[in-house]
Structures are given as structure tokens and as C-alpha cells.
Amino acid sequence: MSDLEHEKIVSTGRTLVGAVVLLVVLTVASWGVAHLDLGAASTPVALGIAVIKASIVGLAFMEIRAASRPARVVAAITVAFIALLCTGTVTDVLLR
Amino acid sequence: MTEEEPIYAEPQSREHALHLGMWVFLGSETLLFAGLFGLYSAYRAWFPRAFAEGVAHNHAAIGTANTLVLIVSSFFVAWSIHALRRDRRRTCLLALTAAVLLGLTFLGLKTLEYSEHLAEGIAPGAYYSSSEVTAPGSQMFFTLYYVMTGLHAIHVIAGLTLLVWLISRVARRRTTAVRHVELELSGLYWHLVDVVWIFLWPLLYLTR
């Protein structure tokens, strides 16, 4: 990745401010949703919001798009392993 | 090869290698917490009532305040990097100091929560003696709560140590607009601490 390309994808001040505002809004939304009676959907909804928040942190604060290709592969493998763990756990619970 | 001879042909190669090493480390840290999340999920499926009662008993206001505190501290760390890249050393120092103060606030609130729990007999493992939360499996919920939040708090302390060290380096002009890879790497670590808490918060304080 050239320096010019790198400069294009590191977060700007506006991106950082937008990200923190969005994260605060999603935190408040998560708090609000927790007080609704969603039944069995409450946990998936809360975790869905958490995934969106983690993605915002990864993209805006950790600048994952500016990381080198090997670093992005490491991040992708980590996410894949977590997905495997989640799938195994959920399957185990559903098939009991 | 003499000691003075650089290992890398260019400084940029060294920075790329350091970044890759950090991402591998963060991957291993993430999988460490993922194992605990897996354990939490398995026990929650086993003891749904105890986990619901445990979550209801936890201080949602403290947990939510700590979520906001860590998110804003993460923003300040990102802002410190943004500022130093533009050679705004004073802004960088202010942002890092704000992040440290917020990190200390997080630990203060956690200590308050732990002390209230312990006063109620909510202690980990065999020391559990609560008469308020008594459903079968409650002891397991709170043991996992202490292990997960305790391990996370250790990471917060490690991150704070790095941030204080960086404040010293930036103040002494050892970390500069030209050379600041240590700030970027420590920032990545602090953001991971934030991400882990983003998942701990709903599981321990919100979802019943």
C-alpha cells in the first residue's frame, strides 16, 4: 500500500467524531431496547448492536482498512474462529 | 551482523512488522475472551433463571456508565493519534490524559460495584454466600462475572500503564509526528479493551 493510499483510508477528525457519536447513540439504543419486552429476541438484538459497535471501533478507531494485508488476514481469521465457536455453542444449545 | 546494523532495510518495514505482531497478539487476546464467552453461553443455557436473576441484580447504571466511559476514552486515544500525525503535540497530550482519567473512572466504578457485591456476600466460587440471589447456578453466574470482568480490568490496568508511558514519551518528544508507532500499537490495545467491554456489558448487565 502506497503512502498516498494509506493517507486516504486513515480516519479523519470528522470520521472519529461521527464514530463516537454513533457509538453513544447505539449504547443508549441498547439500553432502551433492554427495557422492552422482546422475549427470546432480546439477547440476539443486544448482541447485534454490540457487533455493529465493535465494527465501528474496528473501522474508525483501529483503522483496520489501513492495516497491511497480513494484519487484515489475522483479524479475519480471528473473527472466523469466533464465528466457529459461536456456531458450535448455539448448535449445541438448540439441539439439546 | 553488528549490533548497529538495522534488521529492516527501511523503517516502514519495521513498522509493518510491529503492526502485524500487534494484530496477532490482539487475535490471541480476543480468542482468550472468546473462550470465556463460550463458557458463559454454555452455563447460561444450563441455568437460564439464575443468569437472568444475576443480570437483574447487577448494577445496570454502573455498567452503562462504564460503557460510555470506555467508548469516549477510546475516542480520545484515536484523537491523540490523529493529533500527533498533524504534529499537534499539546492536543495529543490532552487527549491521552483525558483517556487515562476515563480509564481510572472505569476502574473506580468497577471497584464500587465489586465492594457492593462483596458486602452482599456475592463472592466468586466457594466464597459465595448471598441470601438474595439463590437460584441454582447463581454462584456460577457470579464466578464467571468476576473472572470475565476481573480479566478485563487487568487489561484496563495494562492499557492505562501504556497510556501513562506514552504521555511521558510524547512530553519528552521521544514519540513524535514522524515516529509514533508505539502510540498506534498501544491505541490498538486500548480499543480492543473497549471492544471486549462492548460485549461484556449486554451479557452481564442487560439481557435477561
Side-chain angles (χ1 to χ4, degrees):
Chain A
M1 189 184 300
S2 73
D3 286 345
L4 188 63
E5 286 172 322
H6 184 267
E7 276 301 310
K8 281 180 186 170
I9 53 176
V10 294
S11 296
T12 62
R14 184 177 289 189
T15 304
L16 295 178
V17 172
V20 75
V21 169
L22 204 51
L23 286 167
V24 169
V25 168
L26 286 170
T27 300
V28 173
S30 216
W31 165 272
V33 166
H35 290 83
L36 301 175
D37 187 16
L38 295 179
S42 70
T43 302
V45 168
L47 290 178
I49 295 175
V51 167
I52 295 169
K53 286 165 69 182
S55 304
I56 293 169
V57 173
L59 289 169
F61 294 168
M62 299 174 88
E63 298 177 331
I64 201 159
R65 289 194 310 142
S68 65
R69 186 169 293 171
R72 277 181 282 157
V73 168
V74 169
I77 289 172
T78 304
V79 172
F81 280 178
I82 291 170
L84 189 65
L85 184 74
C86 291
T87 307
T89 307
V90 170
T91 307
D92 173 53
V93 170
L94 291 177
L95 297 182
R96 276 183 195 182
Chain B
M1 188 168 70
T2 63
E3 268 187 42
E4 291 75 21
E5 193 176 343
I7 300 171
Y8 301 98
E10 297 169 20
Q12 201 183 25
S13 305
R14 177 179 173 274
E15 291 196 5
H16 279 185
L18 288 170
H19 270 275
L20 178 58
M22 191 62 187
W23 278 102
V24 171
F25 173 67
L26 295 184
S28 70
E29 288 275 71
T30 308
L31 292 176
L32 166 69
F33 278 101
L36 288 173
F37 281 115
L39 202 59
Y40 172 95
S41 307
Y43 276 112
R44 184 171 174 147
W46 201 351
F47 302 112
R49 199 178 126 229
F51 274 56
E53 281 185 15
V55 169
H57 191 77
N58 271 341
H59 299 279
I62 291 180
T64 306
N66 264 347
T67 305
L68 293 169
V69 161
L70 269 196
I71 282 172
V72 177
S73 80
S74 219
F75 162 76
F76 276 123
V77 169
W79 195 263
S80 73
I81 297 166
H82 174 75
L84 198 62
R85 280 175 183 156
R86 283 146 191 83
D87 208 9
R88 295 176 193 152
R89 199 172 65 92
R90 193 176 150 76
T91 307
C92 173
L93 283 170
L94 285 172
L96 285 174
T97 305
V100 168
L101 291 175
L102 288 167
L104 290 173
T105 303
F106 178 92
L107 290 177
L109 289 171
K110 199 103 245 4
T111 306
L112 177 70
E113 192 183 26
Y114 277 178
S115 57
E116 285 189 15
H117 277 332
L118 292 173
E120 294 171 337
I122 296 175
Y127 301 100
Y128 190 84
S129 60
S130 171
S131 54
E132 288 182 46
V133 191
T134 54
S138 300
Q139 185 182 353
M140 182 51 72
F141 170 80
F142 281 106
T143 299
L144 278 169
Y145 158 83
Y146 277 111
V147 170
M148 293 168 96
T149 57
L151 186 64
H152 179 263
I154 290 170
H155 283 73
V156 172
I157 293 167
L160 282 174
T161 308
L162 286 171
L163 295 181
V164 170
W165 171 67
L166 284 164
I167 288 173
S168 158
R169 282 187 66 87
V170 174
R172 288 182 289 128
R173 292 187 163 81
R174 301 287 295 274
T175 298
T176 63
V178 178
R179 190 196 169 284
H180 55 265
V181 67
E182 59 275 28
L183 177 60
E184 290 179 342
L185 300 183
S186 304
L188 286 175
Y189 182 82
W190 190 253
H191 299 316
L192 182 81
V193 170
D194 183 23
V195 167
V196 170
W197 184 259
I198 281 173
F199 287 96
L200 283 177
W201 174 57
L203 291 178
L204 297 176
Y205 296 89
L206 295 185
T207 56
R208 300 172 197 178

